[in-house]
Amino acid sequence: MTTPNGDRSDRSPWNWLLVVPIVLPLLPFLFNSDEPRLFGFPMFYWLQLAFIAVGVTCTTIVYQMTKRGR
Amino acid sequence: MEQHLTEIIVFTVLFLVVSGMGFVAARWRRPQDLASLDEWGLGGRSFGSWITWFLVGGDLYTAYTFVAVPALLWSAGAMGFFAVPYTIVIYPMVFLVLIRLWSVSHIHGFVTPADFVRARFGSPTLALLVAITGIVATMPYIALQLVGIEAVLKSMGVTGHLPIIIAFAILAAYTYQSGLRAPALIAFVKDTLIYIVILVAIIVIPIKLGGWDLIFDKAQEKFAASPAPGDGILLNANNQLQYVTLAFGSALALFLYPHSITGVLASRNRDVIKRNMSALPAYSLLLGLIALLGYMAIAAGTTPIGKDNNTIVPRLFDQMFPDWFTGVAYAAVGIGALVPAAIMSIAAANLFTRNIYKEYINRDAGDADEARVSKLTSLLVKVGAVACILFLDTGFSIDLQLIGGVIILQTLPSVALGLYTRWFHRGGLIAGWIAGMSAGMLLLYNIGNPATGKLHFAGSAFPLEKLGLDTKMTIYAGILALAVNLVVAALGTVVARAMNAADGEDTTHPDHYFADEGDPRIKDLDFSPGAPKAH
């Protein structure tokens, strides 16, 4: 979209990366298990906590790749 | 009470320091004039990444969450951990949505989600419905913050309602004076305290209890011995769908709550929002760790006061920490309740002012009138919340909060989908709202809990068997109600178009959804007296 104000659309192929942290935590068969434990945490807990890191990574990449240079 | 004296002193001192900050906040990032909603209600719309992070974090992760989520793990196990996937999926989901809302709001000077709906669909009626939904959903949420404070006070042996009334009177006074600047400034203290307390808790308590392995094993033993079918440290075949739909549905609902949107609109530009979408999950990690306090309480043999499960975490702290640090922890929860309570009351007040007062009572209200009405309404909202606690059973507030989540979801088609498409007809959206609301109420009414003998509104897990399906699975009622809403809104739109029913005018333009700070169309927010009205 070109307007005198320098508007751009928010479209970017990088946005597809956002789908990963939306879908992963909603698939219980991935994490609904006690073994293997990590530092004493059943998989159910440590893997879901690890998904937080996935979310941060994906949103950070999308932010860095789509931010408007100013 | 004497045995808790140190705790009470530490708690009171921290509470008073924070209250002082609340009053001083009016002078922080000083505007020329606080007498407009942009200044009083949105802090001048100038908050950068850090302030927004503390503000929105303090807003979304409330004291009640910090008390209730571990209590849920303590009593039901894995199901309570839904708060983690919920707060993971939320940020990538709204990443692109919120920046559109930010842009269009800053071009048109919207303060509330209902403002947007009014301009987008040209329907004051639809905007009114969205506003009322927001207010009704927010009120019990504020009341629940009081429940959080109450749990802490109870654990210090302080009973009676007077302390709560005093705490809320102070909160009301500085919110009145400083507006959104007060919770923004206090959020720094609140979050710092909470991070310290939780870091100490997750290191010290497991060491004292003999390690994480043991904590999880003890929890498993407890659930294995309990007669309830749905509990355990893992999900079972029947509650997985509930777990997923509750996490997803709660995530959809979160940024429809007016107070979340207030925090977002107060940020300076689109990049602040995007950066926060990747920084806010730090709180999710915190929440995940806090949730596990519920299992630590099991391993430590902590018992609640009476039947109030919300006292589990305060009691665990009392059991594990020296008195002075317990006091700090209690203050963290108490102050943690003030930040969201302040933002929620501001958001509810803004909805009333913009979408009810200005629309239906005084169309000529200027900026100063709006700010005045909002300030008074924010007081009323808090009185209402205190009244909820004083006169209604606490359980009733929790029911209302449960209903709140389901009803706020019914604004999704007009607010969230509305940001992307103008396809829906206003008549269809109104019909969808009515259908979704009715369906939601009906579903919640039919959820009982045989274990407690409660027949109605006993939770949000709707058994699919009641729809005639041959299964023991349950699903989050909000998702079903939203589905009904969407189907009716779509059908209603097709019918309205076929009948050539008059549709409202859309005063937004596609490129309004991409504007950023520095764009000449973004309103200059110099709202000094006599400045031309910006909208």
Side-chain angles (χ1 to χ4, degrees):
Chain A
M1 196 164 303
T2 49
T3 70
N5 304 299
D7 282 333
R8 282 176 260 173
S9 93
D10 288 324
R11 280 176 202 283
S12 160
W14 288 103
N15 291 342
W16 288 103
L17 211 50
L18 296 173
V19 175
V20 177
I22 298 177
V23 172
L24 275 186
L26 299 178
L27 302 172
F29 64 85
L30 290 179
F31 51 78
N32 193 28
S33 150
D34 192 326
E35 301 292 334
R37 287 199 175 193
L38 185 70
F39 306 116
F41 282 60
M43 185 180 176
F44 182 80
Y45 299 90
W46 68 256
L47 190 53
Q48 289 191 79
L49 289 174
F51 286 156
I52 297 176
V54 176
V56 171
T57 310
C58 292
T59 43
T60 305
I61 294 173
V62 176
Y63 164 62
Q64 289 297 337
M65 292 304 172
T66 60
K67 73 177 170 188
R68 302 172 176 190
R70 241 196 323 271
Chain B
M1 211 164 136
E2 280 76 35
Q3 53 177 341
H4 296 289
L5 196 61
T6 319
E7 294 167 9
I8 294 174
I9 294 172
V10 174
F11 178 88
T12 313
V13 168
L14 284 169
F15 198 89
L16 288 178
V17 168
V18 160
S19 304
M21 286 177 68
F23 285 105
V24 173
R27 266 177 261 171
W28 175 51
R29 303 164 65 92
R30 193 189 192 110
Q32 287 135 323
D33 184 9
L34 262 177
S36 77
L37 273 195
D38 288 282
E39 286 299 343
W40 182 82
L42 290 179
R45 302 191 190 237
S46 63
F47 291 155
S49 297
W50 279 103
I51 304 177
T52 303
W53 186 73
F54 278 109
L55 182 71
V56 177
D59 188 14
L60 303 186
Y61 301 80
T62 70
Y64 175 70
T65 321
F66 288 156
V67 168
V69 170
L72 199 57
L73 264 86
W74 181 81
S75 64
M79 192 62 214
F81 212 63
F82 87 93
V84 171
Y86 158 29
T87 53
I88 297 173
V89 302
I90 176 74
Y91 301 110
M93 210 157 74
V94 298
F95 189 94
L96 297 168
V97 183
L98 290 180
I99 49 177
R100 285 175 74 85
L101 178 67
W102 186 95
S103 295
V104 73
S105 299
H106 278 239
I107 286 202
H108 291 267
F110 301 147
V111 179
T112 69
D115 282 348
F116 163 71
V117 168
R118 191 191 187 295
R120 178 66 148 167
F121 295 99
S123 168
T125 312
L126 187 59
L128 179 69
L129 293 179
V130 171
I132 291 176
T133 314
I135 294 172
V136 172
T138 306
M139 287 281 281
Y141 218 153
I142 304 175
L144 280 189
Q145 301 311 314
L146 288 166
V147 173
I149 302 185
E150 223 171 20
V152 165
L153 290 175
K154 226 190 242 180
S155 309
M156 292 193 290
V158 179
T159 47
H161 287 303
L162 191 63
I164 293 247
I165 296 177
I166 296 174
F168 245 48
I170 299 175
L171 168 71
Y174 64 67
T175 312
Y176 182 89
Q177 181 178 333
S178 311
L180 194 62
R181 284 178 167 77
L185 196 57
I186 293 173
F188 284 101
V189 182
K190 173 229 158 184
D191 293 341
T192 311
L193 284 179
I194 292 217
Y195 274 103
I196 293 172
V197 169
I198 296 310
L199 282 177
V200 171
I202 59 156
I203 294 168
V204 171
I205 300 180
I207 292 175
K208 280 195 176 180
L209 292 175
W212 286 101
D213 256 318
L214 204 79
I215 291 172
F216 284 107
D217 289 343
K218 284 263 176 67
Q220 197 161 23
E221 267 171 44
K222 175 194 159 169
F223 295 128
S226 93
D231 62 6
I233 64 166
L234 296 179
L235 298 172
N236 57 52
N238 293 329
N239 65 7
Q240 290 195 17
L241 182 65
Q242 163 72 0
Y243 186 85
V244 167
T245 49
L246 182 58
F248 185 65
S250 306
L252 286 177
L254 187 60
F255 274 96
L256 294 169
Y257 274 105
H259 63 271
S260 328
I261 294 183
T262 300
V264 168
L265 293 187
S267 53
R268 191 197 302 142
N269 58 39
R270 290 163 63 104
D271 278 353
V272 168
I273 297 174
K274 284 189 177 180
R275 202 176 297 148
N276 263 284
M277 292 301 115
S278 37
L280 280 167
Y283 287 94
S284 308
L285 181 61
L286 189 69
L287 180 59
L289 297 171
I290 289 173
L292 295 175
L293 289 174
Y295 289 169
M296 295 182 206
I298 294 176
T302 311
T303 49
I305 298 175
K307 287 198 159 152
D308 184 359
N309 286 354
N310 287 333
T311 55
I312 276 291
V313 168
R315 293 268 290 175
L316 176 70
F317 287 161
D318 194 29
Q319 201 178 336
M320 290 288 163
F321 293 147
D323 285 351
W324 70 271
F325 195 73
T326 307
V328 173
Y330 287 1
V333 176
I335 298 166
L338 299 181
V339 174
I343 305 172
M344 287 169 193
S345 66
I346 289 170
N350 288 349
L351 279 172
F352 173 81
T353 307
R354 299 278 301 195
N355 310 106
I356 297 176
Y357 175 77
K358 193 170 168 138
E359 186 79 54
Y360 293 99
I361 301 173
N362 178 7
R363 279 192 167 267
D364 305 320
D367 285 340
D369 292 324
E370 286 190 12
R372 190 175 43 81
V373 172
S374 249
K375 288 165 90 167
L376 285 174
T377 314
S378 84
L379 290 183
L380 278 182
V381 168
K382 287 194 202 71
V383 173
V386 173
C388 276
I389 293 295
L390 295 190
F391 302 116
L392 301 176
D393 180 43
T394 306
F396 192 64
S397 297
I398 297 170
D399 291 353
L400 285 177
Q401 149 69 6
L402 190 74
I403 298 171
V406 173
I407 69 171
I408 199 73
L409 265 179
Q410 307 314 319
T411 63
L412 181 133
S414 29
V415 178
L417 297 185
L419 281 167
Y420 279 93
T421 170
R422 185 56 183 74
W423 179 77
F424 287 104
H425 188 281
R426 59 182 177 184
L429 287 171
I430 293 173
W433 182 90
I434 295 171
M437 283 291 184
S438 317
M441 289 303 120
L442 193 67
L443 292 169
L444 289 172
Y445 182 81
N446 281 302
I447 296 174
N449 182 351
T452 58
K454 207 162 176 269
L455 293 175
H456 308 294
F457 298 108
S460 62
F462 186 79
L464 284 174
E465 155 178 64
K466 290 199 179 181
L467 295 177
L469 298 166
D470 182 26
T471 171
K472 288 268 172 239
M473 283 205 267
T474 55
I475 189 170
Y476 176 48
I479 289 285
L480 282 183
L482 178 63
V484 171
N485 182 337
L486 285 169
V487 169
V488 173
L491 288 177
T493 298
V494 171
V495 171
R497 297 248 191 279
M499 290 167 54
N500 271 326
D503 201 355
E505 186 199 357
D506 179 7
T507 53
T508 68
H509 189 266
D511 65 273
H512 291 171
Y513 294 85
F514 305 112
D516 204 351
E517 184 188 23
D519 187 311
R521 294 167 305 171
I522 295 282
K523 297 295 184 284
D524 179 16
L525 292 166
D526 175 13
F527 281 87
S528 49
K533 259 187 77 60
H535 43 82

